[in-house]
Amino acid sequence: MSDNTLSIIAVLKAKEGKREALKSALQALILPTRQEEGCLDYALFQLQDSQDVFYMRESWKGQEALDAHIALPHFQAFVQQMDDLLAEPLQLVRLNAVEP
């Protein structure tokens, strides 16, 4: 990975009764996001021990690529649903690669 690669874990917790709706909304983001020029990785995970919590592992070709993603219609459609689906605000955990 180059020095400007941006790696993130997005943590999303579903409201009670909204787990499947959140899962579907997140799954709808995967294919269009993976086709974006600046996307290096975009993978969805559901916690085994807490099924209402999802992690989206993301890697981008820098902040500009992430900013472009956030502005696209498929992501903005998800943003419009967040208040209804999320039990708490979206958490973005920024990561730094540790290489040998």
Side-chain angles (χ1 to χ4, degrees):
M1 283 196 252
S2 67
D3 289 344
N4 67 336
T5 297
L6 181 59
S7 296
I8 296 171
I9 299 289
V11 183
L12 305 103
K13 183 176 181 182
K15 282 185 178 177
E16 187 172 336
K18 298 288 186 168
R19 176 192 310 154
E20 290 305 314
L22 177 57
K23 184 177 183 177
S24 293
L26 291 170
Q27 288 172 316
L29 290 173
I30 294 171
L31 292 178
T33 300
R34 286 180 178 168
Q35 295 173 359
E36 294 175 36
E37 174 68 27
C39 181
L40 300 171
D41 179 46
Y42 203 75
L44 179 62
F45 300 87
Q46 187 173 16
L47 291 186
Q48 287 183 3
D49 296 336
S50 183
Q51 294 280 306
D52 289 339
V53 178
F54 296 87
Y55 284 3
M56 187 71 80
R57 185 185 67 209
E58 308 177 30
S59 288
W60 300 94
K61 295 178 182 176
Q63 186 64 49
E64 287 182 14
L66 177 59
D67 292 344
H69 164 67
I70 290 169
L72 289 172
H74 58 268
F75 190 78
Q76 284 300 308
F78 176 74
V79 168
Q80 296 300 312
Q81 301 174 68
M82 287 194 328
D83 285 345
D84 184 51
L85 297 175
L86 299 182
E88 51 195 51
L90 167 71
Q91 180 184 0
L92 294 180
V93 180
R94 293 179 178 255
L95 307 171
N96 291 323
V98 178
E99 305 281 336

Coordinates of all heavy atoms in Angstrom, one line a residue:
M1 N 0.8 -1.2 0.0 CA 0.0 0.0 0.0 C 0.9 1.2 0.0 O 1.9 1.3 0.7 CB -0.9 0.0 1.2 CG -2.1 -0.9 1.1 SD -3.3 -0.6 2.4 CE -3.1 -2.0 3.5
S2 N 0.4 2.2 -0.8 CA 1.2 3.5 -0.8 C 0.9 4.3 0.4 O 0.0 4.1 1.2 CB 0.8 4.2 -2.1 OG -0.5 4.7 -2.0
D3 N 1.8 5.3 0.6 CA 1.7 6.1 1.8 C 0.4 6.9 1.9 O -0.1 7.2 3.0 CB 2.8 7.1 1.9 CG 4.2 6.5 2.1 OD1 4.2 5.3 2.6 OD2 5.2 7.1 1.9
N4 N -0.3 7.2 0.8 CA -1.5 7.9 0.9 C -2.8 7.0 1.0 O -3.9 7.5 1.0 CB -1.7 8.9 -0.3 CG -1.8 8.2 -1.6 OD1 -1.4 7.0 -1.8 ND2 -2.4 8.9 -2.6
T5 N -2.6 5.7 1.1 CA -3.7 4.8 1.2 C -4.4 5.1 2.5 O -3.8 5.2 3.6 CB -3.3 3.3 1.2 OG1 -2.7 3.1 -0.1 CG2 -4.4 2.4 1.4
L6 N -5.7 5.2 2.4 CA -6.6 5.5 3.6 C -7.3 4.2 3.9 O -8.1 3.7 3.1 CB -7.5 6.6 3.3 CG -8.5 7.1 4.4 CD1 -7.7 7.6 5.6 CD2 -9.3 8.2 3.8
S7 N -7.1 3.6 5.1 CA -7.8 2.4 5.6 C -8.7 2.8 6.7 O -8.3 3.4 7.7 CB -6.8 1.3 5.9 OG -6.0 1.0 4.8
I8 N -9.9 2.2 6.7 CA -10.9 2.6 7.7 C -11.7 1.3 8.0 O -12.0 0.5 7.1 CB -11.9 3.6 7.1 CG1 -11.2 4.9 6.8 CG2 -13.1 3.9 8.0 CD1 -12.0 5.9 6.0
I9 N -12.2 1.3 9.2 CA -13.2 0.4 9.6 C -14.4 1.2 10.0 O -14.3 2.1 10.9 CB -12.8 -0.5 10.8 CG1 -11.6 -1.4 10.5 CG2 -14.0 -1.4 11.3 CD1 -11.8 -2.5 9.6
A10 N -15.5 1.1 9.3 CA -16.8 1.7 9.7 C -17.6 0.8 10.6 O -17.8 -0.4 10.2 CB -17.6 2.1 8.5
V11 N -18.0 1.3 11.7 CA -18.8 0.5 12.7 C -20.2 1.0 12.7 O -20.4 2.2 12.9 CB -18.1 0.6 14.1 CG1 -18.9 -0.3 15.1 CG2 -16.7 0.2 14.1
L12 N -21.1 0.1 12.4 CA -22.5 0.5 12.3 C -23.4 -0.5 13.2 O -23.3 -1.7 13.0 CB -23.0 0.4 10.9 CG -22.2 1.2 9.9 CD1 -21.2 0.2 9.1 CD2 -23.0 1.9 8.9
K13 N -24.1 0.1 14.1 CA -25.0 -0.7 15.0 C -26.4 -0.5 14.7 O -26.9 0.7 14.7 CB -24.7 -0.4 16.5 CG -25.5 -1.2 17.4 CD -25.2 -0.9 18.9 CE -26.0 -1.8 19.8 NZ -25.7 -1.6 21.2
A14 N -27.2 -1.6 14.4 CA -28.6 -1.5 14.0 C -29.5 -1.1 15.2 O -29.2 -1.6 16.3 CB -29.0 -2.8 13.4
K15 N -30.5 -0.3 14.9 CA -31.6 -0.2 15.9 C -32.3 -1.5 16.1 O -32.2 -2.4 15.2 CB -32.6 0.9 15.4 CG -32.2 2.3 15.5 CD -33.3 3.2 15.1 CE -32.9 4.7 15.2 NZ -33.9 5.6 14.7
E16 N -32.9 -1.6 17.2 CA -33.6 -2.8 17.5 C -34.7 -3.1 16.4 O -35.4 -2.1 16.0 CB -34.3 -2.7 18.9 CG -35.0 -4.0 19.3 CD -35.5 -4.0 20.7 OE1 -35.0 -3.1 21.5 OE2 -36.4 -4.7 21.0
G17 N -34.7 -4.3 15.9 CA -35.6 -4.6 14.8 C -35.2 -4.2 13.4 O -35.9 -4.4 12.5
K18 N -34.1 -3.5 13.3 CA -33.6 -3.0 12.0 C -32.4 -3.7 11.4 O -31.8 -3.3 10.5 CB -33.3 -1.5 12.1 CG -34.5 -0.6 12.5 CD -35.5 -0.5 11.3 CE -36.6 0.5 11.7 NZ -37.3 0.8 10.5
R19 N -32.0 -4.8 12.1 CA -30.8 -5.5 11.7 C -30.8 -5.9 10.2 O -29.9 -5.7 9.4 CB -30.6 -6.8 12.5 CG -29.4 -7.6 12.0 CD -29.3 -9.0 12.7 NE -29.5 -9.0 14.1 CZ -29.9 -10.0 14.8 NH1 -30.3 -11.1 14.3 NH2 -30.0 -9.8 16.1
E20 N -31.9 -6.6 9.7 CA -31.9 -7.0 8.4 C -32.0 -5.9 7.4 O -31.4 -5.9 6.3 CB -33.1 -8.0 8.1 CG -32.8 -9.4 8.8 CD -31.5 -10.0 8.5 OE1 -31.2 -10.1 7.2 OE2 -30.8 -10.5 9.4
A21 N -32.7 -4.8 7.7 CA -32.8 -3.6 6.9 C -31.4 -3.0 6.7 O -31.0 -2.6 5.6 CB -33.8 -2.6 7.4
L22 N -30.7 -2.9 7.8 CA -29.3 -2.3 7.8 C -28.4 -3.2 6.9 O -27.7 -2.7 6.1 CB -28.8 -2.1 9.2 CG -27.3 -1.6 9.3 CD1 -27.2 -0.2 8.5 CD2 -26.8 -1.5 10.7
K23 N -28.5 -4.5 7.2 CA -27.7 -5.4 6.4 C -27.9 -5.3 4.9 O -27.0 -5.2 4.1 CB -28.0 -6.8 6.9 CG -27.1 -7.9 6.2 CD -27.5 -9.3 6.8 CE -26.6 -10.4 6.3 NZ -26.9 -11.7 6.9
S24 N -29.2 -5.2 4.5 CA -29.5 -5.0 3.1 C -29.0 -3.7 2.5 O -28.5 -3.7 1.4 CB -31.1 -5.1 2.9 OG -31.5 -6.4 3.2
A25 N -29.2 -2.6 3.3 CA -28.7 -1.3 2.9 C -27.2 -1.3 2.7 O -26.7 -0.7 1.7 CB -29.1 -0.3 3.8
L26 N -26.5 -2.0 3.6 CA -25.0 -2.1 3.5 C -24.6 -3.0 2.3 O -23.7 -2.6 1.5 CB -24.4 -2.6 4.8 CG -24.5 -1.6 5.9 CD1 -24.1 -2.3 7.2 CD2 -23.7 -0.4 5.7
Q27 N -25.3 -4.1 2.1 CA -25.0 -5.0 1.0 C -25.2 -4.2 -0.4 O -24.5 -4.5 -1.3 CB -25.9 -6.2 1.0 CG -25.5 -7.2 2.1 CD -26.4 -8.3 2.3 OE1 -27.6 -8.1 2.3 NE2 -25.9 -9.5 2.5
A28 N -26.2 -3.3 -0.4 CA -26.5 -2.6 -1.7 C -25.3 -1.6 -2.0 O -25.2 -1.2 -3.2 CB -27.8 -1.8 -1.5
L29 N -24.5 -1.3 -1.0 CA -23.3 -0.4 -1.3 C -22.1 -1.1 -1.9 O -21.3 -0.5 -2.6 CB -22.9 0.2 0.0 CG -23.8 1.3 0.7 CD1 -23.2 1.7 2.0 CD2 -23.9 2.5 -0.2
I30 N -22.0 -2.4 -1.7 CA -20.8 -3.1 -2.0 C -20.4 -3.1 -3.5 O -19.3 -2.6 -3.8 CB -20.9 -4.6 -1.5 CG1 -20.9 -4.6 0.1 CG2 -19.7 -5.4 -1.9 CD1 -21.2 -5.9 0.7
L31 N -21.3 -3.6 -4.4 CA -20.9 -3.6 -5.8 C -20.6 -2.3 -6.4 O -19.6 -2.1 -7.0 CB -21.9 -4.4 -6.6 CG -22.0 -5.9 -6.3 CD1 -23.1 -6.6 -7.1 CD2 -20.7 -6.6 -6.5
P32 N -21.5 -1.3 -6.2 CA -21.1 0.0 -6.8 C -19.9 0.7 -6.3 O -19.1 1.3 -7.0 CB -22.4 0.9 -6.6 CG -23.2 0.2 -5.6 CD -22.8 -1.2 -5.6
T33 N -19.7 0.5 -5.0 CA -18.5 1.0 -4.3 C -17.2 0.4 -4.8 O -16.2 1.0 -5.1 CB -18.6 0.9 -2.8 OG1 -19.7 1.7 -2.4 CG2 -17.3 1.5 -2.1
R34 N -17.2 -0.9 -5.0 CA -16.0 -1.7 -5.5 C -15.7 -1.2 -6.9 O -14.5 -1.4 -7.3 CB -16.3 -3.2 -5.4 CG -16.2 -3.7 -4.0 CD -16.4 -5.2 -4.0 NE -16.3 -5.7 -2.6 CZ -16.7 -6.9 -2.3 NH1 -17.2 -7.8 -3.2 NH2 -16.6 -7.4 -1.0
Q35 N -16.6 -0.7 -7.7 CA -16.4 -0.3 -9.0 C -15.8 1.2 -9.1 O -15.4 1.6 -10.1 CB -17.6 -0.3 -9.8 CG -18.1 -1.8 -10.0 CD -19.5 -1.9 -10.7 OE1 -20.1 -0.9 -11.1 NE2 -19.9 -3.1 -10.9
E36 N -15.8 1.8 -8.0 CA -15.2 3.2 -7.9 C -13.7 3.2 -8.2 O -13.0 2.3 -7.7 CB -15.5 3.9 -6.6 CG -17.0 4.1 -6.4 CD -17.3 4.7 -5.0 OE1 -16.5 5.5 -4.4 OE2 -18.3 4.3 -4.4
E37 N -13.3 4.2 -8.9 CA -11.8 4.3 -9.3 C -10.9 4.3 -8.1 O -9.9 3.7 -8.0 CB -11.6 5.6 -10.1 CG -10.2 5.9 -10.4 CD -9.5 4.9 -11.4 OE1 -10.3 4.3 -12.2 OE2 -8.3 4.7 -11.3
G38 N -11.3 5.0 -7.0 CA -10.5 5.1 -5.8 C -10.6 4.0 -4.8 O -9.9 4.1 -3.8
C39 N -11.4 3.0 -5.0 CA -11.7 2.0 -4.0 C -10.7 0.9 -4.1 O -10.5 0.3 -5.2 CB -13.1 1.4 -4.1 SG -13.5 0.1 -2.9
L40 N -10.0 0.6 -3.1 CA -9.0 -0.6 -3.0 C -9.6 -1.8 -2.4 O -9.2 -2.9 -2.7 CB -7.7 -0.1 -2.3 CG -7.0 1.0 -2.9 CD1 -5.9 1.5 -2.0 CD2 -6.4 0.7 -4.3
D41 N -10.5 -1.6 -1.4 CA -11.1 -2.7 -0.6 C -12.4 -2.2 0.0 O -12.4 -1.0 0.5 CB -10.1 -3.1 0.5 CG -10.7 -4.3 1.3 OD1 -11.2 -5.2 0.7 OD2 -10.6 -4.2 2.6
Y42 N -13.4 -3.0 -0.1 CA -14.7 -2.7 0.6 C -15.4 -4.0 0.9 O -15.9 -4.7 0.0 CB -15.5 -1.8 -0.4 CG -16.6 -1.0 0.2 CD1 -16.3 0.2 0.9 CD2 -17.9 -1.3 0.1 CE1 -17.3 1.0 1.4 CE2 -18.9 -0.5 0.6 CZ -18.6 0.6 1.3 OH -19.5 1.5 1.8
A43 N -15.4 -4.4 2.2 CA -15.9 -5.7 2.6 C -16.7 -5.5 3.8 O -16.3 -4.8 4.8 CB -14.8 -6.6 2.8
L44 N -17.9 -6.2 3.9 CA -18.8 -6.1 5.0 C -18.7 -7.3 5.9 O -18.6 -8.5 5.4 CB -20.2 -6.0 4.4 CG -21.4 -5.9 5.4 CD1 -21.3 -4.7 6.3 CD2 -22.7 -6.0 4.7
F45 N -18.7 -7.1 7.2 CA -18.7 -8.1 8.2 C -19.8 -7.9 9.2 O -20.1 -6.8 9.5 CB -17.3 -8.1 8.9 CG -16.2 -8.3 8.0 CD1 -15.6 -7.3 7.4 CD2 -15.7 -9.6 7.8 CE1 -14.5 -7.5 6.5 CE2 -14.6 -9.8 6.9 CZ -14.0 -8.8 6.3
Q46 N -20.3 -9.0 9.8 CA -21.3 -8.9 10.9 C -20.6 -9.6 12.1 O -20.1 -10.7 11.9 CB -22.5 -9.6 10.4 CG -23.7 -9.5 11.4 CD -25.0 -10.1 10.8 OE1 -25.0 -10.8 9.8 NE2 -26.1 -9.8 11.4
L47 N -20.7 -9.0 13.2 CA -20.1 -9.6 14.4 C -20.8 -10.9 14.8 O -22.0 -10.9 14.9 CB -20.1 -8.6 15.6 CG -19.2 -7.4 15.5 CD1 -19.2 -6.6 16.8 CD2 -17.8 -7.8 15.1
Q48 N -20.1 -11.9 15.1 CA -20.7 -13.2 15.5 C -21.4 -13.0 16.9 O -22.5 -13.6 17.1 CB -19.6 -14.3 15.6 CG -19.1 -14.7 14.3 CD -18.1 -15.9 14.4 OE1 -17.8 -16.3 15.5 NE2 -17.5 -16.3 13.3
D49 N -20.8 -12.3 17.8 CA -21.3 -12.3 19.2 C -22.3 -11.1 19.4 O -22.9 -11.0 20.4 CB -20.2 -12.1 20.2 CG -19.2 -13.3 20.2 OD1 -19.7 -14.4 19.8 OD2 -18.1 -13.2 20.6
S50 N -22.4 -10.3 18.4 CA -23.4 -9.1 18.5 C -23.9 -8.9 17.1 O -23.4 -8.0 16.4 CB -22.7 -7.9 19.1 OG -23.6 -6.8 19.2
Q51 N -24.9 -9.6 16.7 CA -25.4 -9.7 15.3 C -26.0 -8.3 14.8 O -26.2 -8.1 13.6 CB -26.5 -10.7 15.2 CG -26.0 -12.1 15.4 CD -25.3 -12.7 14.1 OE1 -25.9 -12.7 13.1 NE2 -24.1 -13.1 14.3
D52 N -26.2 -7.4 15.7 CA -26.7 -6.1 15.3 C -25.6 -5.1 14.9 O -25.8 -4.0 14.5 CB -27.5 -5.4 16.5 CG -28.8 -6.1 16.7 OD1 -29.3 -6.8 15.7 OD2 -29.4 -5.9 17.8
V53 N -24.3 -5.6 15.0 CA -23.2 -4.7 14.7 C -22.5 -5.2 13.5 O -22.2 -6.4 13.3 CB -22.2 -4.7 15.9 CG1 -21.0 -3.8 15.6 CG2 -22.8 -4.2 17.2
F54 N -22.2 -4.2 12.6 CA -21.6 -4.5 11.3 C -20.3 -3.7 11.2 O -20.3 -2.6 11.7 CB -22.5 -4.1 10.1 CG -23.8 -5.0 10.1 CD1 -24.9 -4.6 10.8 CD2 -23.8 -6.1 9.3 CE1 -26.0 -5.4 10.7 CE2 -25.0 -6.9 9.2 CZ -26.1 -6.5 10.0
Y55 N -19.3 -4.3 10.5 CA -18.1 -3.6 10.2 C -17.9 -3.5 8.7 O -18.1 -4.6 8.0 CB -16.8 -4.3 10.8 CG -16.6 -4.2 12.3 CD1 -17.4 -3.5 13.1 CD2 -15.5 -4.8 12.8 CE1 -17.2 -3.4 14.5 CE2 -15.2 -4.7 14.2 CZ -16.1 -4.0 15.0 OH -15.8 -4.0 16.3
M56 N -17.6 -2.4 8.2 CA -17.3 -2.3 6.8 C -15.8 -1.9 6.7 O -15.3 -0.9 7.2 CB -18.1 -1.2 6.1 CG -17.9 -1.1 4.6 SD -18.6 -2.5 3.7 CE -20.3 -2.0 3.6
R57 N -15.0 -2.8 6.2 CA -13.5 -2.6 6.0 C -13.3 -1.9 4.7 O -13.8 -2.4 3.6 CB -12.8 -4.0 6.1 CG -11.3 -3.8 6.0 CD -10.6 -5.2 5.9 NE -10.9 -5.8 4.6 CZ -11.0 -7.1 4.4 NH1 -10.8 -7.9 5.3 NH2 -11.2 -7.5 3.2
E58 N -12.7 -0.8 4.7 CA -12.5 0.0 3.5 C -11.1 0.5 3.4 O -10.4 0.8 4.3 CB -13.3 1.3 3.6 CG -14.8 1.1 4.0 CD -15.5 2.4 4.1 OE1 -15.2 3.4 3.5 OE2 -16.5 2.4 4.9
S59 N -10.6 0.5 2.1 CA -9.3 1.1 1.8 C -9.5 1.9 0.5 O -10.1 1.5 -0.4 CB -8.2 0.0 1.6 OG -7.9 -0.6 2.8
W60 N -8.9 3.1 0.6 CA -9.1 4.1 -0.5 C -7.8 4.6 -0.9 O -6.8 4.7 -0.2 CB -10.0 5.3 0.0 CG -11.3 4.8 0.4 CD1 -11.7 4.5 1.7 CD2 -12.4 4.6 -0.4 NE1 -13.0 4.0 1.7 CE2 -13.5 4.1 0.4 CE3 -12.7 4.7 -1.8 CZ2 -14.7 3.8 -0.1 CZ3 -13.9 4.4 -2.3 CH2 -14.9 3.9 -1.4
K61 N -7.7 5.1 -2.2 CA -6.5 5.7 -2.7 C -6.4 7.2 -2.2 O -6.3 8.1 -3.0 CB -6.5 5.7 -4.3 CG -6.4 4.4 -4.9 CD -6.5 4.4 -6.4 CE -6.5 3.1 -7.0 NZ -6.7 3.2 -8.5
G62 N -6.5 7.4 -0.9 CA -6.4 8.7 -0.3 C -7.7 9.3 0.0 O -8.8 8.8 -0.3
Q63 N -7.6 10.5 0.7 CA -8.8 11.2 1.2 C -9.7 11.6 0.0 O -10.9 11.6 0.2 CB -8.4 12.4 2.0 CG -9.5 13.1 2.7 CD -10.3 12.3 3.7 OE1 -9.7 11.7 4.6 NE2 -11.6 12.2 3.6
E64 N -9.1 12.0 -1.1 CA -9.9 12.5 -2.2 C -10.9 11.4 -2.7 O -12.0 11.6 -3.1 CB -9.1 13.0 -3.4 CG -8.4 14.4 -3.1 CD -7.6 14.9 -4.2 OE1 -7.7 14.3 -5.3 OE2 -6.9 15.8 -4.0
A65 N -10.4 10.1 -2.7 CA -11.2 9.0 -3.2 C -12.3 8.8 -2.2 O -13.4 8.5 -2.6 CB -10.3 7.8 -3.3
L66 N -12.0 8.9 -0.9 CA -13.1 8.7 0.1 C -14.1 9.8 -0.1 O -15.3 9.6 0.0 CB -12.5 8.7 1.5 CG -13.6 8.6 2.6 CD1 -14.4 7.3 2.5 CD2 -12.9 8.6 4.0
D67 N -13.7 11.0 -0.2 CA -14.6 12.2 -0.4 C -15.5 12.0 -1.6 O -16.7 12.3 -1.6 CB -13.8 13.5 -0.5 CG -13.1 13.9 0.8 OD1 -13.5 13.3 1.9 OD2 -12.2 14.7 0.7
A68 N -14.9 11.5 -2.7 CA -15.7 11.2 -3.9 C -16.7 10.2 -3.7 O -17.9 10.3 -4.1 CB -14.8 10.8 -5.1
H69 N -16.4 9.1 -2.9 CA -17.3 8.0 -2.6 C -18.5 8.6 -1.8 O -19.7 8.3 -2.1 CB -16.6 7.0 -1.8 CG -17.5 6.0 -1.0 ND1 -18.3 5.1 -1.7 CD2 -17.7 5.9 0.3 CE1 -19.0 4.4 -0.8 NE2 -18.6 4.9 0.4
I70 N -18.2 9.4 -0.8 CA -19.3 10.0 0.0 C -20.3 10.8 -0.8 O -21.5 10.8 -0.4 CB -18.6 10.8 1.2 CG1 -17.9 9.8 2.1 CG2 -19.7 11.6 1.9 CD1 -17.0 10.5 3.2
A71 N -19.8 11.4 -1.8 CA -20.7 12.3 -2.6 C -21.5 11.6 -3.7 O -22.5 12.1 -4.2 CB -19.8 13.3 -3.4
L72 N -21.2 10.3 -3.9 CA -21.9 9.6 -5.0 C -23.3 9.2 -4.6 O -23.6 9.0 -3.4 CB -21.1 8.3 -5.3 CG -19.8 8.6 -6.1 CD1 -19.0 7.3 -6.3 CD2 -20.1 9.2 -7.5
P73 N -24.2 9.1 -5.6 CA -25.6 8.8 -5.3 C -25.9 7.5 -4.4 O -26.8 7.6 -3.6 CB -26.3 8.7 -6.7 CG -25.4 9.5 -7.5 CD -24.0 9.3 -7.0
H74 N -25.2 6.5 -4.7 CA -25.5 5.2 -3.9 C -25.1 5.4 -2.4 O -25.8 4.9 -1.6 CB -24.8 4.0 -4.5 CG -23.3 4.1 -4.7 ND1 -22.7 4.5 -5.8 CD2 -22.3 3.7 -3.8 CE1 -21.4 4.5 -5.7 NE2 -21.1 4.0 -4.5
F75 N -24.1 6.2 -2.1 CA -23.7 6.4 -0.7 C -24.7 7.4 -0.1 O -25.1 7.3 1.0 CB -22.3 6.8 -0.5 CG -21.9 6.8 0.9 CD1 -21.6 5.7 1.6 CD2 -21.9 8.0 1.7 CE1 -21.3 5.6 2.9 CE2 -21.6 8.0 3.0 CZ -21.3 6.8 3.7
Q76 N -25.1 8.4 -0.9 CA -26.0 9.4 -0.4 C -27.4 8.8 -0.1 O -28.1 9.2 0.9 CB -26.1 10.6 -1.3 CG -24.9 11.5 -1.3 CD -24.7 12.1 0.1 OE1 -25.7 12.7 0.7 NE2 -23.5 12.0 0.6
A77 N -27.8 7.8 -0.9 CA -29.0 7.1 -0.6 C -28.9 6.4 0.7 O -29.9 6.3 1.5 CB -29.3 6.1 -1.7
F78 N -27.8 5.8 1.1 CA -27.6 5.2 2.4 C -27.6 6.2 3.5 O -28.3 6.0 4.5 CB -26.3 4.4 2.4 CG -26.0 3.8 3.8 CD1 -26.7 2.7 4.2 CD2 -25.0 4.4 4.6 CE1 -26.5 2.2 5.5 CE2 -24.8 3.9 5.9 CZ -25.5 2.8 6.3
V79 N -27.0 7.3 3.3 CA -27.0 8.4 4.3 C -28.4 8.8 4.7 O -28.7 9.0 5.8 CB -26.2 9.6 3.8 CG1 -26.4 10.9 4.7 CG2 -24.7 9.3 3.7
Q80 N -29.3 8.8 3.7 CA -30.7 9.2 3.9 C -31.4 8.2 4.8 O -32.4 8.5 5.5 CB -31.5 9.3 2.6 CG -31.0 10.4 1.7 CD -31.0 11.8 2.4 OE1 -32.1 12.2 2.9 NE2 -30.0 12.6 2.3
Q81 N -30.9 7.0 4.9 CA -31.5 5.9 5.7 C -30.9 5.8 7.1 O -31.5 5.1 7.9 CB -31.4 4.6 5.0 CG -32.0 4.5 3.6 CD -31.6 3.2 3.0 OE1 -32.1 2.1 3.4 NE2 -30.8 3.2 2.0
M82 N -29.8 6.4 7.3 CA -29.0 6.2 8.5 C -29.8 6.4 9.8 O -29.7 5.6 10.8 CB -27.7 6.9 8.5 CG -26.7 6.3 7.6 SD -25.0 6.9 7.8 CE -25.0 8.5 8.3
D83 N -30.5 7.5 9.9 CA -31.3 7.9 11.1 C -32.3 6.8 11.5 O -32.5 6.5 12.6 CB -31.9 9.2 11.0 CG -31.0 10.4 11.1 OD1 -29.8 10.2 11.6 OD2 -31.4 11.5 10.8
D84 N -32.9 6.2 10.5 CA -33.9 5.2 10.7 C -33.3 3.8 11.1 O -33.9 3.0 11.8 CB -34.7 5.0 9.4 CG -35.9 4.0 9.6 OD1 -36.6 4.1 10.6 OD2 -36.0 3.1 8.8
L85 N -32.0 3.6 10.6 CA -31.4 2.2 10.8 C -30.4 2.1 11.9 O -30.3 1.1 12.5 CB -30.7 1.9 9.5 CG -31.5 1.7 8.2 CD1 -30.7 1.4 7.0 CD2 -32.6 0.6 8.4
L86 N -29.7 3.2 12.2 CA -28.6 3.1 13.2 C -29.0 3.5 14.6 O -29.7 4.5 14.9 CB -27.5 4.0 12.8 CG -26.8 3.7 11.4 CD1 -25.7 4.7 11.2 CD2 -26.4 2.3 11.3
A87 N -28.6 2.6 15.6 CA -28.9 2.9 17.0 C -28.0 4.0 17.6 O -28.3 4.6 18.6 CB -28.7 1.6 17.8
E88 N -26.8 4.2 16.9 CA -25.9 5.2 17.4 C -25.1 5.7 16.2 O -25.2 5.1 15.1 CB -24.9 4.6 18.4 CG -24.2 3.3 18.0 CD -23.6 2.6 19.1 OE1 -24.2 2.4 20.2 OE2 -22.4 2.2 19.0
P89 N -24.5 6.9 16.3 CA -23.8 7.4 15.1 C -22.8 6.5 14.5 O -22.1 5.7 15.2 CB -23.2 8.7 15.6 CG -23.9 9.1 16.9 CD -24.4 7.7 17.4
L90 N -22.7 6.6 13.2 CA -21.6 5.8 12.5 C -20.3 6.2 13.1 O -20.0 7.3 13.3 CB -21.7 6.2 11.0 CG -20.5 5.8 10.1 CD1 -20.6 4.3 9.8 CD2 -20.6 6.6 8.8
Q91 N -19.5 5.1 13.3 CA -18.1 5.4 13.9 C -17.1 5.0 12.8 O -17.2 3.9 12.2 CB -17.9 4.5 15.1 CG -16.6 4.6 15.7 CD -16.3 3.7 16.9 OE1 -17.2 2.9 17.3 NE2 -15.2 3.8 17.5
L92 N -16.2 5.9 12.5 CA -15.1 5.6 11.6 C -13.8 5.5 12.3 O -13.4 6.4 13.0 CB -15.0 6.7 10.5 CG -16.2 6.9 9.6 CD1 -15.9 8.0 8.6 CD2 -16.4 5.6 8.8
V93 N -13.2 4.3 12.2 CA -11.9 4.0 12.8 C -10.8 4.1 11.8 O -10.8 3.2 10.9 CB -11.9 2.7 13.6 CG1 -10.6 2.4 14.2 CG2 -13.1 2.6 14.5
R94 N -10.0 5.0 11.8 CA -8.9 5.2 10.8 C -7.7 4.3 11.3 O -7.3 4.3 12.4 CB -8.5 6.6 10.6 CG -9.6 7.4 10.0 CD -9.3 8.9 9.8 NE -10.4 9.6 9.1 CZ -10.4 9.9 7.9 NH1 -9.3 9.7 7.1 NH2 -11.4 10.5 7.3
L95 N -7.1 3.6 10.3 CA -6.1 2.7 10.6 C -4.8 3.1 9.9 O -4.8 3.6 8.8 CB -6.5 1.3 10.1 CG -7.8 0.7 10.6 CD1 -8.1 -0.6 9.9 CD2 -7.8 0.5 12.1
N96 N -3.6 2.8 10.5 CA -2.3 2.9 9.9 C -1.8 1.5 9.7 O -1.7 0.7 10.7 CB -1.4 3.7 10.8 CG -1.8 5.2 10.8 OD1 -2.3 5.8 9.8 ND2 -1.6 5.8 11.9
A97 N -1.3 1.2 8.6 CA -0.7 -0.1 8.3 C 0.6 -0.2 9.1 O 1.4 0.7 9.1 CB -0.4 -0.3 6.8
V98 N 0.9 -1.4 9.6 CA 2.1 -1.7 10.3 C 2.8 -2.8 9.5 O 2.4 -3.9 9.5 CB 1.9 -2.1 11.8 CG1 3.2 -2.4 12.4 CG2 1.1 -1.1 12.5
E99 N 3.9 -2.4 8.8 CA 4.6 -3.3 7.9 C 5.9 -3.7 8.6 O 6.5 -2.9 9.3 CB 4.9 -2.7 6.6 CG 3.6 -2.1 5.9 CD 2.8 -3.2 5.2 OE1 3.4 -4.2 4.8 OE2 1.6 -3.0 5.0
P100 N 6.4 -4.9 8.3 CA 7.7 -5.3 8.9 C 8.9 -4.5 8.3 O 8.8 -3.9 7.2 CB 7.9 -6.8 8.5 CG 6.9 -7.0 7.4 CD 5.8 -5.9 7.5

